[in-house]
């Protein structure tokens, strides 16, 4: 999917907070020009494929009229208590053909029973309610913030929970899976997709889709680096997802209107997320009117324009390719599969041959800025190290090098002028299987 949008919207939008305490009155939730279609059509135009909505953040306020609490839109003046943001975003996703995802914060600073087994029942009831009322849901997002002070039904105290046991996640995930079998779970350690270890938009320069979940416990030294890079010989397939906000905070604050990331900053984040084999989950928070602010819309349009102009003309498309060897000397695995524009075909070597080189003949000398390379990811992530060279009057000059490829790797070629590019596969865990090469 490559690009998904994240939407943080709740009472925080109206109080200016990032983490509501849980005592916010539902009466303050009152967007004046609310239009979920404007959000989703903006995301669609920017090329996003899915949307994940904060149905409930840490403050506990529910964006749908839940039967299990009074702390929701049903007690807001907005649409006379008949409003439902979850329903509207889901419908807009259907209309614009984006996938719809749910964030339901496990930590709840409003609920009186938070910290007891009763709250777990409440949390599961809400999941059941969401997954039977709305859908289909492609991804479920659980964040790691847990416990601390809060309103907790008027007690205004600090509560801590035992993170590893309190939620009994296996049973909760089973419940959701029974309602939505194809669901992807995001959390620090998956089990579907993992946190990338930072909120700056940067996946590891080395980025393995595999990791060993047992090595990922909170408080472990170096855990962020591990999440960021994955583990070459990890036991589970849990790719990193890169969550980052277009603004300083996750929620809309007018004073951050000057801090919206520029198209160039968003493009750089694209290169360090999608360009390193991960999915980008970019947060775009609606404002107090209930609209994606003009500054954010302009930034997204500029970002799209930069992507379209940068990756406009693939100079490698249908160009001849010569390779060091191919699997079984079989045409089906030869170099032409790399530039045929067909993601279902690939170049591969014989089993046991874990290195190789690929020469792409561009036909004439061109100024080159980017190289896109993709492993045929259905057959796993294999490549550990590559280098790129450019032909200069008959000899090969180094341009750049990288470690992992994964689903997609985008490398800067820094304006090198050449008529031929060579990609060396220097090391791989098994015979390389590469489906695509593009040059811009
Ligand atoms: C974190 C939360 O504490 C932030 O408020 C935000 O929702 C972020 C995406 O996840 O854990």
């Amino acid at each position: 999917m490559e690009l998904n949008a994240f939407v943080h919207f709740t009472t925080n939008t109206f109080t200016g907070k990032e983490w509501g305490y849980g005592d916010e009155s539902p009466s303050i939730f009152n967007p004046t020009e609310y239009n979920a279609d404007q959000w989703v059509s903006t995301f669609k135009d920017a090329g996003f494929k899915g949307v994940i909505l904060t149905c409930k953040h840490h403050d506990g306020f529910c964006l749908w009229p839940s039967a299990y609490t009074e702390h929701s839109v049903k007690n807001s003046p907005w649409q006379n208590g008949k409003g439902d943001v979850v329903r509207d975003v889901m419908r807009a996703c259907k209309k614009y053909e984006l996938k719809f995802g749910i964030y339901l914060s496990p930590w709840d600073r409003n609920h009186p029973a938070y910290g007891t087994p009763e709250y777990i029942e409440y949390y599961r009831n809400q999941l059941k309610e969401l997954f039977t009322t709305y859908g289909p849901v492609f991804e479920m997002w659980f964040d790691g913030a847990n416990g601390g002070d809060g309103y907790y039904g008027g007690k205004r105290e600090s509560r801590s929970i035992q993170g590893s046991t309190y939620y009994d996640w296996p049973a909760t995930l089973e419940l959701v899976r029974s309602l939505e079998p194809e669901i992807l779970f995001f959390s620090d350690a998956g089990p579907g997709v993992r946190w990338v270890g930072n909120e700056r938009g940067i996946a590891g320069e080395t980025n393995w889709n595999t990791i060993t979940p047992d090595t990922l416990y909170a408080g472990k030294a170096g855990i962020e680096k591990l999440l960021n890079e994955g583990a070459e010989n990890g036991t589970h397939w849990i790719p990193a997802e890169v969550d980052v906000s277009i603004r300083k905070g996750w929620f809309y604050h007018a004073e951050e209107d000057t801090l919206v990331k520029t198209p160039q900053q968003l493009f750089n984040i694209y290169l360090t997320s999608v360009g390193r084999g991960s999915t980008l989950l970019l947060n775009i928070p609606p404002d107090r009117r209930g609209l994606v602010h003009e500054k954010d819309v302009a930034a997204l349009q500029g970002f799209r324009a930069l992507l379209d102009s940068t990756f406009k003309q693939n100079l490698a498309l249908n160009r001849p390719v010569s390779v060091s060897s191919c699997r079984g000397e079989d045409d089906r695995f030869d170099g032409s599969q790399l530039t045929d524009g067909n993601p279902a075909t690939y170049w591969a070597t014989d089993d046991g041959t874990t290195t190789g080189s690929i020469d792409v003949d561009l036909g004439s000398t061109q100024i080159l800025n980017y190289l896109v390379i993709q492993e045929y990811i259905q057959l796993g992530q294999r490549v550990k190290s590559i280098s790129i060279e450019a032909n200069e009057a008959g000899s090969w000059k180094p341009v750049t090098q990288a470690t992992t490829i994964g689903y997609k790797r985008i490398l800067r070629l820094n304006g090198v002028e050449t008529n031929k590019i060579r990609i060396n596969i220097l090391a791989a865990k098994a015979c390389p299987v590469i489906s695509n090469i593009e040059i811009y």
Side-chain angles (χ1 to χ4, degrees), residues 247-248 252-261 287 289 293-296:
R247 288 167 169 258
K248 187 162 169 279
Y252 175 86
H253 310 297
E255 66 272 22
E256 292 176 5
D257 283 352
T258 52
L259 300 176
V260 177
K261 290 187 173 65
D287 62 16
R289 294 171 302 172
H293 190 272
E294 289 77 356
K295 295 232 161 145
D296 306 56

Side-chain angles (χ1 to χ4, degrees), residues 6 8 19 57-58 103 141 143 145 199 243 250:
F6 213 178
H8 277 66
W19 281 8
H57 201 249
H58 309 329
Y103 172 125
W141 225 84
D143 76 286
E199 292 176 340
D243 63 309
W250 292 100

Side-chain angles (χ1 to χ4, degrees), residues 92-390:
C93 284
K94 284 201 174 128
K95 178 168 168 190
Y96 295 101
E97 297 176 314
L98 270 72
K99 292 190 182 181
F100 172 65
I102 283 177
Y103 172 125
L104 192 72
S105 168
W107 183 25
D108 191 317
R109 302 173 96 185
N110 173 264
H111 203 275
Y114 183 77
T116 71
E118 187 194 327
Y119 172 75
I120 301 302
E121 204 184 307
Y122 170 74
Y123 186 72
R124 288 183 183 154
N125 279 335
Q126 290 206 319
L127 285 172
K128 257 184 255 167
E129 188 178 42
L130 284 169
F131 278 84
T132 50
T133 316
Y134 312 96
V137 181
F138 83 105
E139 183 168 327
M140 166 91 214
W141 225 84
F142 306 100
D143 76 286
N146 268 315
D149 63 330
Y151 176 69
Y152 303 124
K155 289 277 196 281
R156 299 184 181 275
E157 61 190 11
S158 186
R159 293 185 184 175
S160 63
I161 52 111
Q162 184 60 258
S164 52
T165 53
Y166 176 56
Y167 295 107
D168 182 14
W169 285 119
T172 301
L173 301 193
E174 232 0 85
L175 164 80
V176 174
R177 268 200 205 99
S178 72
L179 301 168
E180 192 71 271
E182 298 289 304
I183 192 91
L184 267 176
F185 292 112
F186 169 100
S187 82
D188 283 10
V193 279
R194 70 176 195 261
W195 185 43
V196 75
N198 65 67
E199 292 176 340
R200 299 191 314 278
I202 303 174
E205 205 277 320
T206 296
N207 183 11
W208 291 101
N209 290 304
T210 42
I211 199 159
T212 302
D214 289 354
T215 63
L216 294 168
Y217 45 88
K220 176 189 164 131
I223 192 165
E224 273 129 18
K225 185 170 189 287
L226 182 59
L227 287 164
N228 197 238
E229 300 184 350
E232 182 183 327
N233 295 312
T235 53
H236 288 62
W237 186 268
I238 309 177
E241 178 179 271
V242 179
D243 63 309
V244 56
S245 186
I246 194 167
R247 288 167 169 258
K248 187 162 169 279
W250 292 100
F251 288 91
Y252 175 86
H253 310 297
E255 66 272 22
E256 292 176 5
D257 283 352
T258 52
L259 300 176
V260 177
K261 290 187 173 65
T262 63
Q264 187 59 52
Q265 285 173 312
L266 295 174
F267 182 79
N268 293 345
I269 285 175
Y270 176 85
L271 292 183
T272 56
S273 55
V274 176
R276 291 182 177 177
S278 284
T279 303
L280 173 60
L281 179 63
L282 182 69
N283 179 64
I284 303 127
D287 62 16
R288 288 188 183 178
R289 294 171 302 172
L291 297 173
V292 174
H293 190 272
E294 289 77 356
K295 295 232 161 145
D296 306 56
V297 173
L300 290 173
Q301 286 170 345
F303 171 50
R304 184 71 252 163
L306 261 182
L307 288 174
D308 289 345
S309 60
T310 307
F311 303 110
K312 190 171 180 184
Q313 197 199 348
N314 172 13
L315 302 170
L317 187 65
N318 296 319
R319 295 301 311 166
V321 177
S322 62
V323 289
S324 50
S325 72
C326 80
R327 191 171 183 80
E329 289 177 30
D330 187 331
D331 292 355
R332 285 178 303 162
F333 306 115
D334 71 12
S336 70
Q337 314 301 337
L338 291 162
T339 53
D340 63 359
N342 180 355
T345 62
Y346 48 83
W347 164 74
T349 59
D350 283 332
D351 287 348
T353 303
T354 54
T355 59
S357 66
I358 301 160
D359 294 358
V360 184
D361 185 348
L362 300 172
S364 61
T365 299
Q366 315 255 10
I367 300 171
L368 308 180
N369 292 317
Y370 293 95
L371 177 120
V372 178
I373 181 164
Q374 298 186 271
E375 289 188 74
Y376 185 74
I377 206 69
Q378 291 91 326
L379 294 181
Q381 185 178 8
R382 299 163 176 237
V383 176
K384 301 205 289 190
S385 172
I386 62 173
S387 70
I388 314 295
E389 297 172 310

Side-chain angles (χ1 to χ4, degrees), residues 61-84:
F61 182 75
C62 298
L63 294 184
W64 81 103
S66 174
Y68 299 98
T69 180
E70 292 305 307
H71 200 55
S72 84
V73 283
K74 75 183 173 199
N75 288 315
S76 297
W78 175 62
Q79 299 189 354
N80 298 317
K82 299 277 178 283
D84 184 343

